[in-house]
Amino acid sequence: MILEGLMTTINADGTPNVSPMGPRVDLELKTFVLRPFQTSTTYRNVKRSGVGVFHVTDDVELLARAAVGKLSPLPPLEKADAVEGFILSGACRWFALRVESLDDSAPRTTITMRAVASGTLRDFFGLNRAKHAVVEGAILATRLHLLSKAEILRQFADLKPLVEKTGGEAEHRAFAFLERFIREADDGVAPLNDLERSADRTEVAHD
């Protein structure tokens, strides 16, 4: 099963990195299998440190901004105890992960990580159609090097009614932010994050 959320890792200078991530997990949420490409920040950080913290969140506005590398300033964070890393203060659940194995013999790395600690910060609101539309929009925003801007905007138009009908203020802001990002981006720009790089649901991969 793919569980989409946000991963925090530590950069070489000790600062936190926040990236969308879609690891394959078991039903007990003990084993997390990541598949980032070797050009991604998450890959470099996890290989160097051997740890990371995965978060379950219903904050799709945060996910959207992380997907396109527009997290400035960073969201509130607190230091983790179980591993050297950071916990997103606004997340619903977090899992401190430690590497069990890492195979980077191919460009798409397979990293198996084990949960060594976990915690619940607040109840999970859930993902309605608007939140799902924002997640899909965030994925589309990372595909500018694969699809034309016109095609991406056409798909945005299909998603927009879902946000208008079922979204709250945060979902409307997030969707408008992504749509504006697409319109202002240059065609064929390089991917920015790990949102698709980690997921097995598609071979399309982004940094």
Side-chain angles (χ1 to χ4, degrees), residues 14-68:
T15 58
N17 178 72
V18 182
S19 291
M21 186 64 58
R24 183 172 291 278
V25 301
D26 59 6
L27 293 178
E28 292 76 28
L29 296 177
K30 296 295 185 183
T31 301
F32 292 67
V33 180
L34 285 60
R35 300 193 67 206
F37 274 47
Q38 294 178 26
T39 52
S40 71
T41 301
T42 297
Y43 161 77
R44 293 192 296 269
N45 289 349
V46 170
K47 181 167 185 178
R48 185 184 61 256
S49 69
V51 297
V53 182
F54 180 79
H55 303 80
V56 176
T57 183
D58 50 26
D59 186 347
V60 293
E61 188 173 17
L62 177 60
L63 191 150
R65 290 188 173 276
V68 296

Side-chain angles (χ1 to χ4, degrees), residues 110-131:
T110 299
I111 306 174
T112 301
M113 305 186 77
R114 187 76 175 174
V116 296
S118 62
T120 300
L121 301 177
R122 63 180 177 86
D123 290 338
F124 181 71
F125 179 83
L127 298 181
N128 66 357
R129 289 183 295 163
K131 289 180 181 288

Side-chain angles (χ1 to χ4, degrees), residues 173-202:
R173 283 196 307 268
F175 196 81
F177 161 76
L178 289 170
E179 190 172 23
R180 184 168 61 252
F181 174 84
I182 295 297
R183 292 187 184 280
E184 294 176 354
D186 294 330
D187 288 320
V189 298
L192 296 168
N193 54 70
D194 301 301
L195 183 61
E196 292 265 319
R197 289 202 161 189
S198 57
D200 286 326
R201 69 181 187 176
T202 176

Side-chain angles (χ1 to χ4, degrees), residues 132-190:
H132 277 295
V134 173
V135 172
E136 293 303 318
I139 294 170
L140 285 169
T142 68
R143 291 181 174 174
L144 281 165
H145 68 306
L146 296 170
L147 300 173
S148 70
K149 185 184 295 188
E151 172 58 21
I152 292 175
L153 289 174
R154 185 195 65 75
Q155 294 190 47
F156 261 72
D158 292 338
L159 294 170
K160 194 168 186 175
L162 300 178
V163 178
E164 292 176 340
K165 291 177 181 178
T166 66
E169 291 183 4
E171 290 72 44
H172 280 83
R173 283 196 307 268
F175 196 81
F177 161 76
L178 289 170
E179 190 172 23
R180 184 168 61 252
F181 174 84
I182 295 297
R183 292 187 184 280
E184 294 176 354
D186 294 330
D187 288 320
V189 298

Side-chain angles (χ1 to χ4, degrees), residues 56-96:
V56 176
T57 183
D58 50 26
D59 186 347
V60 293
E61 188 173 17
L62 177 60
L63 191 150
R65 290 188 173 276
V68 296
K70 298 293 184 182
L71 275 183
S72 181
L74 287 172
L77 298 156
E78 54 191 76
K79 286 193 174 181
D81 293 326
V83 299
E84 184 181 3
F86 295 91
I87 295 171
L88 290 166
S89 301
C92 300
R93 298 180 66 185
W94 59 266
F95 299 85

